[in-house]
Amino acid sequence: MADKIGKVLFTQEDITKRAKELAKQIDEDFKGEEVILLGTLKGSIPWLVDIMKHTTIETKLDFISASSYGSSTTSSGVVKIRYDASINMYNENVIVVEDIIDTGNTLKYVVEKLKERGPKTIKICTMLNKEARRTTDIHADYVGFDVDDLFVIGYGLDFDQKFRGLPYISYLEEEDVEGL
């Protein structure tokens, strides 16, 4: 399967450096306050850990799982919440930590559901921003990297549960995806 992987887009060092920069910005934005880091399962975990370990403000941690992909490379358009956060978000600062914003449909749905819980603020921190495929008006407050319209993998990002453990971000060629 290694022959299906494209060139390295972002190394582990690139990702760690950017996470430190964004964590510093989060620290400044929420100085003296507490923040709930809400990771989107499963892909955001490596990025969430990088952000969390480089922030100095008080943080709480929870997770949510929502998807519109399954084992396809394109969004089905139907968002399903598979695991919901249990932490009380009322009057709290919430940062949704995402692996990638693609069409934005899933994230928009999640943010709308979170607003119903009465948080003080909701911000979005994404490792990758794929603006070319955006079909909603949702935008991240903290962006690791902008990425072209590629099917990216690695550092938590997967194709049908494969490639999550790569210590860097790469991509799959569309013609190679069919054979996997």
Side-chain angles (χ1 to χ4, degrees):
M1 279 200 252
D3 61 329
K4 308 289 186 199
I5 299 172
K7 70 176 187 164
V8 173
L9 299 173
F10 305 104
T11 66
Q12 188 168 10
E13 291 77 19
D14 296 333
I15 299 164
T16 300
K17 179 180 180 223
R18 188 65 182 135
K20 286 179 181 179
E21 293 168 354
L22 291 179
K24 183 177 179 182
Q25 185 179 345
I26 290 167
D27 284 346
E28 290 171 9
D29 292 350
F30 292 96
K31 188 174 185 172
E33 298 186 59
E34 187 176 78
V35 170
I36 296 170
L37 296 176
L38 184 66
T40 58
L41 293 172
K42 302 175 185 168
S44 74
I45 292 174
W47 177 243
L48 171 70
V49 168
D50 283 350
I51 295 293
M52 185 176 60
K53 70 184 176 184
H54 295 294
T55 55
T56 60
I57 58 171
E58 289 297 320
T59 58
K60 295 179 183 176
L61 181 63
D62 207 345
F63 295 94
I64 191 165
S65 177
S67 179
S68 63
Y69 280 81
S71 59
S72 174
T73 60
T74 57
S75 174
S76 69
V78 177
V79 178
K80 296 177 184 171
I81 300 271
R82 296 188 176 134
Y83 176 83
D84 202 354
S86 60
I87 200 164
N88 181 0
M89 296 179 194
Y90 182 75
N91 205 29
E92 297 281 350
N93 297 304
V94 177
I95 299 177
V96 179
V97 182
E98 182 71 276
D99 53 357
I100 186 169
I101 304 175
D102 193 314
T103 64
N105 293 328
T106 301
L107 186 57
K108 184 172 184 169
Y109 180 84
V110 167
V111 168
E112 290 303 316
K113 289 295 181 190
L114 294 176
K115 285 179 181 177
E116 295 172 5
R117 300 173 191 192
K120 181 177 175 182
T121 62
I122 298 178
K123 302 286 186 183
I124 299 166
C125 176
T126 188
M127 181 171 63
L128 299 178
N129 183 42
K130 194 189 295 187
E131 196 73 40
R133 296 206 5 105
R134 196 68 37 83
T135 59
T136 63
D137 61 351
I138 197 151
H139 301 282
D141 302 279
Y142 309 100
V143 175
F145 305 96
D146 288 308
V147 66
D148 292 331
D149 189 12
L150 300 167
F151 194 87
V152 287
I153 55 168
Y155 217 80
L157 296 151
D158 73 304
F159 171 69
D160 199 21
Q161 300 297 326
K162 298 175 183 82
F163 307 109
R164 280 193 200 280
L166 294 175
Y168 53 84
I169 297 171
S170 184
Y171 61 93
L172 294 176
E173 297 289 352
E174 288 297 323
E175 62 270 12
D176 289 338
V177 170
E178 295 172 16
L180 293 175

